[in-house]
Amino acid sequence: MQHSGARDSETAALLAGLRSDVGEAHVATGAPDRDAYSRDLWPRSLLDQIAGDPPTLPDAVVWPGSVDEVAAVVRRCAAARVPIVPFGAGSGVCGGTRPTHGGIVVDLKRLKRLRRVDAEAGVIEVEGGFVGELLERRLEAEGLTLGHFPSSIICSTVGGWLAGRSAGQLSSRYGKIEDMVVDLEVVTGDGRVRRTPPAGAPGAGPDWNQIFVGSEGTLGIITAATLRVHPQPTARRFRGWMVPTPEAGFEVMRRTLQEGWRPSVLRLYDPLDTVMVGSGPEEKGGGRSLGRLKEALGEGAPALKRRATVAALSVPGLINRAVKALPQRSLLVTMCEGDEAEAGATDEAIARIARTVGGRDLGEGPGRKWYAHRYDVSFKQSKMYRSGAFVDTMEVATTWTKLAELYEAVREAVAPHVLIMAHFSHAYPGGCSIYFTFAGTGRTPEEMKARYDAAWRAGQDAVIAQGAVIAHHHGVGLSRVPYMDRVHGEARRWFDALKPVLDPAGIFNPGKVFSE
Amino acid sequence: MLRRLGEQRTALELCTYCPKLCRFACPVATAEARETVTPWALMTRAHQVLQGRTPLDAATAQIWEHCTGCLRCQRNCRHDNDPPMALYAARAEAVAAGLASPALTAWAEAPRPSSRAFEALPEGGEVVVLPGHAADEVVAASVKLLRFAGFAAAGRPARGVWHAAGRLLPAGRPGLFEGAARQVLRGLEGARLVVCLDPEDAVTLTRDYPRHGVSVAAAVRHLSEVVDEPLRGRVRPVLEGDVLYLDACRLGRQLGVYDPPRRLLAAALAGGRIREAVMNRDQGGCCGAGAGFAATNPGAAADVAREAAADVPEIPVVTAGPTCAAHLRRAHGDTRTVHDWAVLVAGALNEELR
Amino acid sequence: MNSGDPLVERLRWQLGPGTVDGPLADERCRVRVDGTATAARALRLLADAGVPVVIEGEPAAGAAVLTVERMNALLGLDAESGVAHVQAGCTWRRVEWLLRRRGLTLGPLPAWLLERTVLESFATNDRLRPSPRYGQLTDGALAFAAVLPRGGIARSSVAPRRSTGPDLGRVPVGARHRGGLLTEVHLQAWPAPEARAWRAIERPDWSSALAAAVAVLRAGVQPAWWRLDRPRPRGPVRIWASLVETAGNERPATRFDAVVGGAGIDAAEVEAAAAALFPPVSPDAPRAATTPAFGTVAWAPRATLPAVAAAVEGAEVWDVAPEGGTVYAPAPLDELQVRRLRDLGAHIDTGGDEGGDEWQPLAEAVFARLAPRTSSE
Ligand SMILES: Cc1cc2nc3c(=O)[nH]c(=O)nc-3n(C[C@H](O)[C@H](O)[C@H](O)COP(=O)(O)OP(=O)(O)OC[C@H]3O[C@@H](n4cnc5c(N)ncnc54)[C@H](O)[C@@H]3O)c2cc1C
Ligand code: SF4
Ligand code: SF4
């Protein structure tokens, strides 16, 4: 193995040991498995693949079937000093599961028991490999909800959510995944199974829950978690508001939350995204190039669309300028839930605030439409890549006061490289995240990669220059490692102190989160 | 070279560039807990082979066998993509490359289970019964249901036809399939209605035949559809307790038949009720046997079957596809009762009302 | 005046005049830092000299005592975002007073918190302000600055949430300064409420009282502050709740009543209790003498919370969530009682091993790695 040198007999011994730990059928070294586990959904990996670059292969994939088997695998790899890459469903978009150092990918999806449902206490204990959508459906059948609905709920696991500090579409009401944790069961680098003290329990630091949450496989393997759940809402209210400017939208979101309301969705689209989601009959402006682009990204004749997309994206500067000429109107979609009284009161409160900023009530339509199609946008990815374009997203966050400035700064910075738009969908009393979506192209795969990299660099640099946070919920993985030292400075020493204690052999997901 | 796979290029590209958006839906990938067998990875590998970036070798051919053709992926795909169709093309390329899987071939060529009930049917007629791989007990029960429902003259197809040869497609033998389809067509000549006991045959006749330029003149129905109306009010409550009804993928998701089997089943329950899995109807699980999966990967296929029924443990399982029921039964062994719908309902018929 | 001690002189020179008042060996000597930069310089110098540091604590032989009372400024206020940037030496009274003058608040601050510093609360993770509406004070930081034990400055960018690795800012929280000295915090503040409504109701026992409390939460009502107590053994259990109404948001009190019925305790008694618990925060207001002498604090899961509360004489229950709550015992519990409560699934703060045995050695190892190297290293 790369990590320990190419010592074939040691590798063979390790594999034999792993087979005895988890069973012959649950260790794979064949090409199809190694290839399937060579990447997550980091778009940069897809560009590498399109370019025909050789994948970064693990040496083997292992599927432990119980917590004790996870512990056994960890002990064995620690003794052999072979890297372990914990793997949920590989839906990460930052390269977090890319086995850059070879070693063993430990797929956790056989850990898929819902160990406990306690509706009375509002908690469940669920294993790390449970796939999100399947969990939510199970809970729904019991009249409960976790309230965590990332767009990737259909292709991600509980462990992956926790490891990456994931955010769901209803985060305004239910919080991010880190807000839902009561305690965790983790396997640390010494191969011991440990349970963290419950959130809220008195005690000395560190706060182990919040250390493992977000650790992206570098400090331990999350095998199970006790999470807060809620009764299914009995009422929902949907609405759309057309506000005159993004800033007016910020105002509505901010005041709503600061007044103490808890709507489940406050989702504001910037002017271009407002045009793209087609909120109303009357969007005009933006010029020909934008029309072409909208046509390209919308439904239409496929061949025509491909050409239109590439043509539009090859001049990002021009298109971004055209976008600036758009009317500033922005669509705010809201959803309120709870019982009738709460949903209604929240909806009315938003209405009161929205009217003060000149918002126009578009009725339930936009909210219902969003809800019905809430996971659909990701399907556009295939079409874009097929037409020779790339797309990616960059989610950042800051306080309300700095939000507009951050939005402009990032758009300015990436404008020469890619077309960029944004929505604002995770809001808190103190601030908000910006979810940028960008698209670009290149004449060759190499040029595409260069543009992609340039856009990311420019975007993240701009975020750091603004003093904002470089990631709101997609994590660090591999893609953001180059920025972490700049962002954390001396705080990194805390990580450096934790790492050798929790992972003495240094085997957990090397090279991720912080550079080695 | 790789012509059949080449015809699937669009489908392959859609999946390759897709962020695994049907990940949760694939029963095989869920049961195996394995990314390698997600529609995304299976299709990506096929795409790589088409691009000449991955060799078409035995390991690759084998991995393409990890699909039951349940089409739950398509159900959850906004592109309406059809991975199994592309994977069957990939399997055809594997066969062409000399990588045919003996287990798959044997499955596709499995002989008809002996059935006196089938053999007793007169040959020809306006209404013919296609038993597929149903066991004699199921055929007998189905014939009884048909008789009670007023199809007294139901016969069997001519020329020894007993199934629609649909297994040849997942077995990677599209050429043989097309030949067999024409053969089947001749056997069905003169029929006005073809009653399929195995939903798979109904899917083959109504979906795959036209795709391969073969069209069936007769109406094609699953047994449950034709007996539903006539048998209402004629089924007695005989079975105590609740049962778990599982939609067979071909009957439910692919033919859209959900309620007829439930209706007659409900009538056969004495006091109990039909329980549903968390994922049901068009999102229902899979018995694991489709597309030869139980033949090539019996262990994983049994896991798929057990997962389909796991949400509602212990109580008896009922399903309205004879191969599904048989496989669910095999997968559960002694741990659980599995009823074939036709057998169960036939046993509940009120003979006095005849 | 030159102290004759080169280290003291270096400290004075680097930290400014009036910062070190005597030879370090004198147990009355204090090193007074006034901000992150000076704290960093002080800790670095002392670490380099191999002098152990005690922060805000009792002097120990050979150690320098560092104090933060001069670190008490409001460094910035972002009124729009409601974010107050404060130095950790501020008392909660001071922070709240500065905020109130601008129409903002941290939420209700019980008397016993007012004289505590932000640093004390964070360093002990005191959880003394249970509030479904505003959260625990020690959970609500949007950013922090801290000086690591060897003098490095750690600073985070200001945002409500992030996904940039583990929440490293939680390393020093509760660590009693061993993870570093917290020097600045960005706290979430809120528009000051228009009105505050008090409710106090009674239920016959802990089970039914806790069930009522959870029903309130389930109905989407978030009291700004609440507490359950039982003044007489086997007497009724009372729920005291403060419900705030911000502009336009008048529903909490009404909804509370709808869920659990109206006030059950005499209004005057409730008002008097409220006034005692939440005295005015203006700097010239008399200091309240209600600092509770809590003996032992335990967190128990929902299933055993009533039993844990019932097992402790004079218990109060705070921070009720559906999954569990915190039980405050008025006097320290003895070993036997602690063991009994632990058997009931309680997590108990006995002042050291509260993380449970299995985490304690890990915490020690982490802090050891952060600690200044001793001269023998
Ligand atoms: C289409 C699409 C939409 C998305 N939308 C959202 C969204 O709305 N919100 C959001 O937050 N994210 C979103 N993401 C990102 C991604 O889904 C999340 O990061 C998710 O949490 C990853 O989960 P996973 O199970 O796939 O983890 P993986 O990708 O397998 O792993 C992610 C990281 O966590 C580590 N890890 C995984 N499991 C464990 C474990 N049990 N213990 C320790 N470490 C572990 C891995 O080593 C890796 O570093 C989206 C991604 C896609 C492709
Ligand atoms: S079938 Fe559809 S959803 Fe599934 S991977 Fe392919 S394109 Fe994506
Ligand atoms: S048809 Fe079923 S088994 Fe095959 S890839 Fe699709 S979901 Fe998986």
Side-chain angles (χ1 to χ4, degrees):
Chain A
M1 315 224 152
Q2 266 160 273
H3 197 63
S4 55
R7 286 167 294 188
D8 288 350
S9 65
E10 279 180 32
T11 304
L14 174 69
L15 290 173
L18 290 171
R19 290 195 175 101
S20 75
D21 293 335
V22 302
E24 186 79 33
H26 299 122
V27 177
T29 53
D33 286 298
R34 291 170 68 207
D35 193 52
Y37 286 87
S38 66
R39 58 186 167 268
D40 59 7
L41 296 172
W42 185 20
R44 184 60 160 77
S45 293
L46 191 50
L47 291 178
D48 293 347
Q49 190 186 326
I50 289 169
D53 297 349
T56 324
L57 299 173
D59 295 292
V61 185
V62 171
W63 290 266
S66 66
V67 180
D68 291 337
E69 287 186 9
V70 173
V73 168
V74 168
R75 281 194 298 273
R76 200 171 287 282
C77 289
R81 306 215 161 235
V82 167
I84 283 180
V85 180
F87 193 102
S91 74
V93 286
C94 299
T97 60
R98 194 151 152 171
T100 46
H101 294 56
I104 308 295
V105 168
V106 176
D107 185 331
L108 294 151
K109 283 192 296 294
R110 285 181 68 217
L111 269 62
K112 55 179 167 186
R113 277 190 314 137
L114 181 54
R115 292 184 187 166
R116 183 164 66 101
V117 176
D118 185 342
E120 169 65 13
V123 292
I124 55 166
E125 186 182 344
V126 57
E127 291 187 339
F130 217 115
V131 170
E133 176 75 7
L134 303 178
L135 175 63
E136 191 56 39
R137 301 251 184 159
R138 276 283 289 279
L139 295 177
E140 194 184 325
E142 312 216 18
L144 298 170
T145 178
L146 178 60
H148 190 67
F149 300 91
S151 316
S152 57
I153 188 169
I154 44 194
C155 57
S156 57
T157 64
V158 170
W161 295 344
L162 290 161
R165 300 191 162 257
S166 162
Q169 293 173 340
L170 312 192
S171 65
S172 303
R173 181 174 180 83
Y174 298 103
K176 283 182 75 192
I177 195 76
E178 60 260 41
D179 304 315
M180 303 175 185
V181 177
V182 176
D183 66 24
L184 301 174
E185 179 187 88
V186 291
V187 175
T188 42
D190 53 3
R192 277 186 59 182
V193 183
R194 296 166 192 270
R195 185 168 283 278
T196 56
D207 177 344
W208 295 107
N209 285 319
Q210 297 303 325
I211 296 300
F212 286 106
V213 174
S215 61
E216 301 188 32
T218 60
L219 300 178
I221 296 182
I222 300 167
T223 49
T226 308
L227 302 173
R228 294 189 186 95
V229 292
H230 311 269
Q232 282 280 336
T234 52
R236 284 209 173 105
R237 293 288 179 86
F238 300 92
R239 201 167 295 280
W241 293 92
M242 191 58 79
V243 291
T245 58
E247 286 79 1
F250 300 161
E251 173 89 2
V252 179
M253 296 163 85
R254 179 178 68 80
R255 281 174 48 197
T256 301
L257 296 170
Q258 289 182 351
E259 279 186 12
W261 301 99
R262 297 188 307 136
S264 46
V265 175
L266 285 173
R267 190 180 179 90
L268 177 73
Y269 296 90
D270 79 353
L272 175 56
D273 218 349
T274 296
V275 173
M276 289 297 169
V277 297
S279 54
E282 86 289 35
E283 304 100 19
K284 290 192 204 80
R288 269 231 333 270
S289 32
L290 189 67
R292 268 204 323 219
L293 185 78
K294 194 176 179 200
E295 141 136 349
L297 300 177
E299 301 309 315
L304 218 160
K305 254 171 53 184
R306 281 196 193 204
R307 256 177 287 138
T309 307
V310 174
L313 292 178
S314 54
V315 285
L318 193 76
I319 302 270
N320 283 316
R321 271 201 299 283
V323 168
K324 286 214 146 175
L326 278 178
Q328 286 301 292
R329 260 196 313 264
S330 301
L331 172 68
L332 173 67
V333 167
T334 66
M335 180 168 105
C336 304
E337 55 185 45
D339 56 15
E340 273 298 338
E342 189 184 5
T346 311
D347 185 52
E348 280 159 31
I350 298 172
R352 168 175 49 77
I353 299 168
R355 289 200 184 94
T356 64
V357 303
R360 192 155 50 80
D361 186 350
L362 304 177
E364 312 196 291
R368 286 202 179 276
K369 181 176 160 197
W370 169 78
Y371 192 67
H373 298 280
R374 62 197 183 281
Y375 303 135
D376 287 6
V377 67
S378 307
F379 282 95
K380 292 206 166 146
Q381 174 168 315
S382 291
K383 292 187 180 172
M384 292 293 282
Y385 278 85
R386 285 193 70 219
S387 63
F390 61 80
V391 279
D392 199 358
T393 57
M394 187 195 292
E395 18 62 68
V396 301
T398 190
T399 52
W400 290 110
T401 319
K402 291 182 161 182
L403 195 61
E405 219 177 304
L406 175 66
Y407 169 67
E408 286 304 334
V410 173
R411 285 208 314 165
E412 254 342 281
V414 304
H417 314 290
V418 290
L419 171 79
I420 186 158
M421 61 183 115
H423 61 255
F424 307 81
S425 48
H426 303 281
Y428 310 88
C432 190
S433 81
I434 313 180
Y435 190 87
F436 290 105
T437 301
F438 61 79
T441 188
R443 278 159 302 185
T444 61
E446 291 311 316
E447 197 177 287
M448 281 168 78
K449 286 197 269 182
R451 285 254 178 101
Y452 176 92
D453 292 345
W456 260 98
R457 250 192 328 268
Q460 294 276 281
D461 284 347
V463 177
I464 295 172
Q466 289 290 317
V469 305
I470 59 171
H472 174 266
H473 59 263
H474 284 167
V476 180
L478 206 51
S479 65
R480 282 169 163 135
V481 167
Y483 310 99
M484 284 290 277
D485 279 346
R486 254 197 292 163
V487 167
H488 280 77
E490 285 284 309
R492 178 189 170 141
R493 292 195 192 280
W494 281 324
F495 183 80
D496 292 342
L498 289 161
K499 175 78 175 170
V501 171
L502 296 170
D503 177 20
I507 55 169
F508 284 141
N509 215 359
K512 309 295 164 50
V513 181
F514 284 102
S515 59
E516 282 169 286
Chain B
M1 274 248 323
L2 302 182
R3 179 182 60 82
R4 289 190 190 274
L5 200 52
E7 288 167 0
Q8 300 295 328
R9 185 181 297 273
T10 301
L12 298 178
E13 286 181 356
L14 283 172
C15 289
T16 299
Y17 301 137
C18 171
K20 301 189 189 179
L21 295 172
C22 58
R23 174 68 185 80
F24 79 97
C26 178
V28 172
T30 300
E32 293 195 41
R34 185 176 176 200
E35 291 317 289
T36 322
V37 298
T38 55
W40 168 80
L42 294 172
M43 296 287 275
T44 299
R45 195 146 190 91
H47 188 220
Q48 302 267 33
V49 168
L50 181 63
Q51 290 178 309
R53 290 182 175 170
T54 296
L56 175 45
D57 54 13
T60 299
Q62 219 177 58
I63 214 70
W64 288 333
E65 289 167 2
H66 291 250
C67 168
T68 65
C70 74
L71 276 184
R72 203 163 158 200
C73 46
Q74 185 187 44
R75 172 65 194 79
N76 291 282
C77 175
R78 299 294 176 275
H79 307 298
D80 205 25
N81 212 10
D82 186 339
M85 187 157 65
L87 293 171
Y88 299 165
R91 292 182 191 187
E93 301 294 1
V95 169
L99 297 167
S101 145
L104 201 54
T105 308
W107 168 78
E109 293 171 353
R112 177 169 68 76
S114 81
S115 168
R116 282 213 253 154
F118 182 63
E119 283 144 23
L121 292 173
E123 189 176 296
E126 288 206 330
V127 178
V128 294
V129 176
L130 211 55
H133 294 79
D136 184 49
E137 181 198 23
V138 179
V139 181
S142 305
V143 169
K144 182 177 171 190
L145 289 174
L146 283 169
R147 297 255 153 86
F148 266 68
F151 298 94
R156 62 188 160 97
R159 297 168 183 261
V161 166
W162 56 279
H163 68 149
R167 290 185 174 189
L168 290 167
L169 283 177
R173 315 228 173 220
L176 286 183
F177 170 75
E178 282 163 19
R182 277 185 287 274
Q183 193 75 19
V184 170
L185 214 56
R186 279 194 289 277
L188 298 178
E189 264 166 24
R192 190 177 45 80
L193 172 67
V194 182
V195 179
C196 300
L197 305 192
D198 193 328
E200 168 143 24
D201 283 323
V203 171
T204 306
L205 292 172
T206 55
R207 185 193 67 189
D208 299 330
Y209 276 35
R211 276 184 191 165
H212 289 261
V214 181
S215 76
V216 183
V220 177
R221 296 283 182 275
H222 178 252
L223 173 71
S224 64
E225 296 177 272
V226 297
V227 301
D228 176 34
E229 278 272 348
L231 292 185
R232 283 194 207 169
R234 304 189 58 187
V235 177
R236 292 168 305 148
V238 293
L239 191 69
E240 300 284 337
D242 292 357
V243 296
L244 169 64
Y245 178 75
L246 296 178
D247 291 289
C249 306
R250 269 84 182 165
L251 184 59
R253 205 159 23 243
Q254 298 180 29
L255 293 173
V257 178
Y258 299 108
D259 293 320
R262 280 180 172 77
R263 266 195 292 266
L264 292 186
L265 173 60
L269 298 183
R273 64 186 175 98
I274 298 179
R275 305 273 300 273
E276 301 281 353
V278 169
M279 306 284 262
N280 55 54
R281 299 179 79 93
D282 66 336
Q283 292 288 356
C286 173
C287 77
F293 191 51
T296 54
N297 292 276
D303 288 342
V304 172
R306 284 189 291 264
E307 291 215 348
D311 293 337
V312 187
E314 283 160 27
I315 60 170
V317 176
V318 182
T319 192
T323 40
C324 300
H327 189 249
L328 283 164
R329 201 171 290 136
R330 202 169 314 134
H332 285 93
D334 296 337
T335 62
R336 208 160 172 178
T337 310
V338 178
H339 294 289
D340 182 282
W341 173 86
V343 175
L344 180 66
V345 177
L349 283 175
N350 189 342
E351 314 251 353
E352 283 156 25
L353 288 174
R354 189 152 184 193
Chain C
M1 199 186 76
N2 193 301
S3 65
D5 177 343
L7 180 56
V8 168
E9 289 315 307
R10 285 235 303 282
L11 281 167
R12 282 183 180 158
W13 190 75
Q14 290 221 4
L15 309 186
T19 49
V20 187
D21 52 5
L24 290 173
D26 182 342
E27 67 170 33
R28 284 161 309 176
C29 170
R30 296 288 178 273
V31 179
R32 296 170 213 282
V33 293
D34 64 0
T36 306
T38 52
R41 275 183 235 133
L43 286 178
R44 200 173 311 123
L45 278 175
L46 293 164
D48 289 349
V51 176
V53 178
V54 173
I55 291 164
E56 290 288 325
E58 293 304 313
V65 181
L66 194 134
T67 70
V68 298
E69 83 260 2
R70 288 177 59 194
M71 217 164 63
N72 66 351
L74 176 67
L75 297 176
L77 178 63
D78 169 355
E80 185 183 343
S81 310
V83 176
H85 181 190
V86 304
Q87 285 191 313
C90 290
T91 59
W92 292 109
R93 176 193 294 278
R94 181 166 167 78
V95 178
E96 179 67 4
W97 175 243
L98 295 171
L99 288 173
R100 290 269 182 98
R101 291 195 306 183
R102 287 148 155 117
L104 296 169
T105 178
L106 291 171
L109 291 175
W112 50 81
L113 260 179
L114 292 176
E115 275 24 276
R116 274 175 95 78
T117 62
V118 172
L119 179 63
E120 273 176 282
S121 286
F122 275 84
T124 57
N125 192 14
D126 67 18
R127 317 199 71 74
L128 285 173
R129 202 284 299 273
S131 166
R133 167 79 171 79
Y134 302 105
Q136 282 284 359
L137 287 165
T138 47
D139 289 342
L142 283 82
F144 62 85
V147 180
L148 291 147
R150 291 175 200 167
I153 296 175
R155 226 175 240 294
S156 66
S157 32
V158 191
R161 292 287 187 287
R162 67 200 76 219
S163 168
T164 53
D167 189 349
L168 295 174
R170 299 296 296 179
V171 174
V173 176
R176 295 167 169 90
H177 316 300
R178 286 179 304 165
L181 168 62
L182 205 67
T183 52
E184 300 168 29
V185 191
H186 284 76
L187 296 164
Q188 183 70 57
W190 307 78
E194 317 258 296
R196 218 181 262 262
W198 274 94
R199 291 291 186 272
I201 57 157
E202 288 183 347
R203 287 289 182 272
D205 52 29
W206 283 109
S207 281
S208 53
L210 287 162
V214 170
V216 167
L217 294 174
R218 287 257 190 267
V221 183
Q222 298 188 305
W225 183 85
W226 65 353
R227 184 177 79 174
L228 282 68
D229 65 9
R230 184 182 225 177
R232 281 177 291 115
R234 274 183 285 283
V237 173
R238 308 183 299 188
I239 304 180
W240 304 83
S242 157
L243 300 147
V244 298
E245 292 164 6
T246 24
N249 186 350
E250 305 93 0
R251 83 210 146 105
T254 332
R255 301 268 289 147
F256 183 92
D257 294 345
V259 180
V260 297
I265 294 172
D266 175 64
E269 190 187 337
V270 176
E271 283 307 321
L277 280 173
F278 297 99
V281 293
S282 56
D284 44 4
R287 299 290 187 261
T290 46
T291 305
F294 286 124
T296 304
V297 185
W299 183 92
R302 178 69 200 285
T304 57
L305 185 56
V308 171
V312 175
E313 179 119 2
E316 294 187 1
V317 175
W318 291 20
D319 217 2
V320 182
E323 77 263 14
T326 312
V327 175
Y328 285 86
L333 300 180
D334 63 33
E335 225 171 281
L336 198 75
Q337 287 172 303
V338 166
R339 206 165 330 128
R340 246 185 47 225
L341 297 193
R342 283 195 174 141
D343 287 346
L344 284 169
H347 289 252
I348 300 189
D349 185 351
T350 49
D353 68 338
E354 43 281 311
D357 294 337
E358 58 172 342
W359 292 100
Q360 193 57 27
L362 296 183
E364 291 303 331
V366 169
F367 297 136
R369 285 180 174 273
L370 290 163
R373 283 192 190 84
T374 56
S375 44
S376 60
E377 276 176 296

